[in-house]
Amino acid sequence: MTITTSPSRNEYTSSASQTVFNYTFKIYVSTDLNVYVTPVGQVANDATDITTAYTVDSGTIGDDAGGFITFTSPQTLNSLVTIVSGIPTDRTVDYQANGDFIPATVNNDIDRTVSLVKQNENLATRTIQFQESQQSASSITLPAPSAGDILLWNPTGTGFINDNG
Protein backbone atom coordinates (compact mmCIF):
# COMPACT_ATOMS: atom_id res chain seq x y z
CA MET A 1 0.00 0.00 0.00
CA THR A 2 0.98 3.62 -0.03
CA ILE A 3 1.83 5.95 2.83
CA THR A 4 -0.15 9.19 2.73
CA THR A 5 1.19 12.68 3.30
CA SER A 6 -0.96 13.09 6.41
CA PRO A 7 1.04 13.98 9.52
CA SER A 8 2.51 11.28 11.74
CA ARG A 9 1.14 13.14 14.76
CA ASN A 10 -2.30 13.63 16.31
CA GLU A 11 -3.25 16.19 18.95
CA TYR A 12 -6.40 16.13 21.07
CA THR A 13 -8.05 18.01 23.92
CA SER A 14 -9.82 15.30 25.90
CA SER A 15 -13.39 15.30 27.00
CA ALA A 16 -14.21 14.21 30.55
CA SER A 17 -13.65 10.47 31.02
CA GLN A 18 -12.44 9.95 27.42
CA THR A 19 -10.34 6.81 26.98
CA VAL A 20 -10.11 6.21 23.20
CA PHE A 21 -7.98 8.31 20.84
CA ASN A 22 -7.20 7.72 17.15
CA TYR A 23 -3.86 7.89 15.42
CA THR A 24 -3.95 8.46 11.66
CA PHE A 25 -0.66 6.96 10.50
CA LYS A 26 0.74 3.48 10.04
CA ILE A 27 2.65 1.74 12.81
CA TYR A 28 4.32 -1.64 12.59
CA VAL A 29 4.30 -2.78 16.24
CA SER A 30 2.46 -1.43 19.27
CA THR A 31 5.61 0.25 20.60
CA ASP A 32 5.91 2.51 17.51
CA LEU A 33 4.02 5.29 19.31
CA ASN A 34 5.03 8.06 21.68
CA VAL A 35 2.00 9.10 23.74
CA TYR A 36 1.98 12.20 25.95
CA VAL A 37 -0.69 13.53 28.30
CA THR A 38 -0.42 17.10 29.55
CA PRO A 39 -2.94 17.78 32.33
CA VAL A 40 -4.74 21.13 32.36
CA GLY A 41 -2.53 23.90 33.72
CA GLN A 42 0.72 22.00 33.23
CA VAL A 43 3.46 22.56 30.67
CA ALA A 44 4.18 19.95 28.00
CA ASN A 45 7.13 17.74 28.90
CA ASP A 46 8.60 15.07 26.62
CA ALA A 47 9.80 13.17 29.68
CA THR A 48 6.15 12.23 30.26
CA ASP A 49 6.06 9.76 27.35
CA ILE A 50 3.57 7.16 28.52
CA THR A 51 4.47 3.56 27.75
CA THR A 52 2.15 1.44 29.90
CA ALA A 53 -1.05 3.40 30.61
CA TYR A 54 -2.72 2.51 27.30
CA THR A 55 -3.16 -0.33 24.85
CA VAL A 56 -3.00 -0.22 21.07
CA ASP A 57 -5.80 -2.00 19.24
CA SER A 58 -3.94 -4.98 17.78
CA GLY A 59 -6.33 -5.16 14.83
CA THR A 60 -5.15 -1.75 13.60
CA ILE A 61 -1.39 -2.36 13.80
CA GLY A 62 -0.07 -2.25 10.24
CA ASP A 63 -3.18 -0.48 8.94
CA ASP A 64 -2.25 2.29 6.50
CA ALA A 65 -5.04 4.50 7.89
CA GLY A 66 -3.87 4.15 11.49
CA GLY A 67 -5.85 2.94 14.45
CA PHE A 68 -6.62 3.79 18.03
CA ILE A 69 -5.32 3.54 21.56
CA THR A 70 -7.33 3.01 24.72
CA PHE A 71 -6.14 4.45 28.02
CA THR A 72 -6.47 2.20 31.06
CA SER A 73 -7.80 5.19 33.05
CA PRO A 74 -10.06 7.95 31.71
CA GLN A 75 -8.50 11.30 30.89
CA THR A 76 -9.60 14.44 32.68
CA LEU A 77 -11.48 17.23 30.94
CA ASN A 78 -9.24 19.37 28.69
CA SER A 79 -6.07 17.31 29.15
CA LEU A 80 -3.90 17.49 26.05
CA VAL A 81 -3.23 14.11 24.47
CA THR A 82 -0.50 13.91 21.83
CA ILE A 83 0.18 10.76 19.81
CA VAL A 84 3.34 10.78 17.69
CA SER A 85 5.07 8.21 15.48
CA GLY A 86 7.97 6.71 17.41
CA ILE A 87 9.37 4.12 15.01
CA PRO A 88 12.93 3.09 15.91
CA THR A 89 15.53 3.89 13.27
CA ASP A 90 16.79 0.33 12.97
CA ARG A 91 16.44 -2.01 10.01
CA THR A 92 15.25 -5.53 10.71
CA VAL A 93 14.59 -6.84 7.20
CA ASP A 94 17.51 -8.49 5.42
CA TYR A 95 16.96 -9.56 1.83
CA GLN A 96 18.81 -12.69 0.77
CA ALA A 97 20.55 -13.09 -2.58
CA ASN A 98 18.43 -15.38 -4.76
CA GLY A 99 15.78 -15.47 -2.03
CA ASP A 100 12.05 -15.30 -2.48
CA PHE A 101 10.70 -11.95 -3.61
CA ILE A 102 7.63 -11.37 -1.48
CA PRO A 103 5.93 -8.11 -2.50
CA ALA A 104 4.20 -7.69 0.88
CA THR A 105 7.55 -7.81 2.68
CA VAL A 106 9.17 -5.35 0.28
CA ASN A 107 6.18 -2.97 0.40
CA ASN A 108 6.12 -3.05 4.19
CA ASP A 109 9.88 -2.39 4.35
CA ILE A 110 9.58 0.60 1.99
CA ASP A 111 6.51 1.87 3.88
CA ARG A 112 8.52 1.74 7.12
CA THR A 113 11.29 3.79 5.51
CA VAL A 114 8.82 6.40 4.29
CA SER A 115 7.24 6.45 7.77
CA LEU A 116 10.67 7.22 9.24
CA VAL A 117 11.11 10.07 6.75
CA LYS A 118 7.70 11.48 7.80
CA GLN A 119 8.68 11.12 11.46
CA ASN A 120 11.86 13.16 10.84
CA GLU A 121 9.88 15.68 8.80
CA ASN A 122 7.54 16.15 11.77
CA LEU A 123 10.54 16.88 14.00
CA ALA A 124 12.06 19.25 11.44
CA THR A 125 8.88 21.29 11.09
CA ARG A 126 8.89 21.86 14.86
CA THR A 127 12.35 23.47 14.91
CA ILE A 128 13.80 26.87 14.16
CA GLN A 129 15.29 26.75 10.68
CA PHE A 130 17.45 28.85 8.43
CA GLN A 131 16.04 29.89 5.06
CA GLU A 132 16.92 27.21 2.53
CA SER A 133 18.75 29.86 0.46
CA GLN A 134 20.95 30.86 3.44
CA GLN A 135 24.54 29.91 2.63
CA SER A 136 27.09 28.68 5.16
CA ALA A 137 24.37 27.88 7.69
CA SER A 138 25.19 25.29 10.29
CA SER A 139 23.29 23.90 13.22
CA ILE A 140 23.01 26.13 16.24
CA THR A 141 22.47 24.97 19.79
CA LEU A 142 20.40 27.13 22.08
CA PRO A 143 21.92 28.06 25.43
CA ALA A 144 20.31 26.65 28.57
CA PRO A 145 17.29 28.70 29.64
CA SER A 146 18.02 31.50 32.08
CA ALA A 147 15.06 32.88 34.03
CA GLY A 148 14.21 36.46 33.09
CA ASP A 149 16.69 36.61 30.21
CA ILE A 150 15.89 37.06 26.54
CA LEU A 151 17.45 35.14 23.69
CA LEU A 152 19.63 37.21 21.33
CA TRP A 153 21.99 36.57 18.45
CA ASN A 154 25.60 36.78 19.62
CA PRO A 155 27.73 39.69 18.27
CA THR A 156 29.12 37.56 15.41
CA GLY A 157 25.71 36.24 14.33
CA THR A 158 26.84 32.64 14.73
CA GLY A 159 24.76 31.61 17.72
CA PHE A 160 22.53 32.74 20.54
CA ILE A 161 23.19 34.13 24.00
CA ASN A 162 21.04 34.82 27.04
CA ASP A 163 20.78 38.51 27.86
CA ASN A 164 19.03 40.19 30.76
CA GLY A 165 18.25 43.27 28.71
Side-chain angles (χ1 to χ4, degrees):
M1 295 299 291
T2 61
I3 298 293
T4 67
T5 58
S6 62
S8 56
R9 161 188 200 88
N10 298 110
E11 300 175 348
Y12 300 98
T13 301
S14 67
S15 58
S17 301
Q18 185 175 358
T19 57
V20 178
F21 294 84
N22 293 330
Y23 59 91
T24 57
F25 47 88
K26 185 175 183 176
I27 64 170
Y28 303 87
V29 294
S30 64
T31 55
D32 285 349
L33 294 173
N34 291 331
V35 178
Y36 306 94
V37 176
T38 306
V40 175
Q42 293 189 18
V43 176
N45 181 350
D46 286 356
T48 63
D49 183 14
I50 298 169
T51 57
T52 59
Y54 67 91
T55 57
V56 178
D57 178 61
S58 61
T60 62
I61 295 172
D63 190 325
D64 293 336
F68 62 91
I69 66 169
T70 304
F71 282 97
T72 54
S73 297
Q75 298 305 306
T76 57
L77 179 64
N78 294 327
S79 287
L80 302 179
V81 176
T82 308
I83 305 171
V84 184
S85 176
I87 300 170
T89 55
D90 60 354
R91 183 169 185 266
T92 58
V93 175
D94 187 23
Y95 299 106
Q96 302 299 313
N98 299 318
D100 291 338
F101 182 84
I102 304 169
T105 301
V106 175
N107 278 329
N108 204 47
D109 194 32
I110 292 170
D111 285 354
R112 188 174 185 278
T113 302
V114 172
S115 294
L116 285 168
V117 169
K118 285 179 56 177
Q119 188 172 292
N120 284 333
E121 181 179 55
N122 175 58
L123 289 172
T125 61
R126 300 176 61 79
T127 61
I128 297 171
Q129 299 177 19
F130 288 104
Q131 294 289 324
E132 191 168 348
S133 59
Q134 177 70 40
Q135 295 186 352
S136 301
S138 62
S139 65
I140 292 178
T141 303
L142 295 175
S146 179
D149 284 359
I150 57 174
L151 198 58
L152 294 174
W153 282 101
N154 66 22
T156 61
T158 58
F160 291 101
I161 57 172
N162 290 316
D163 190 288
N164 58 12

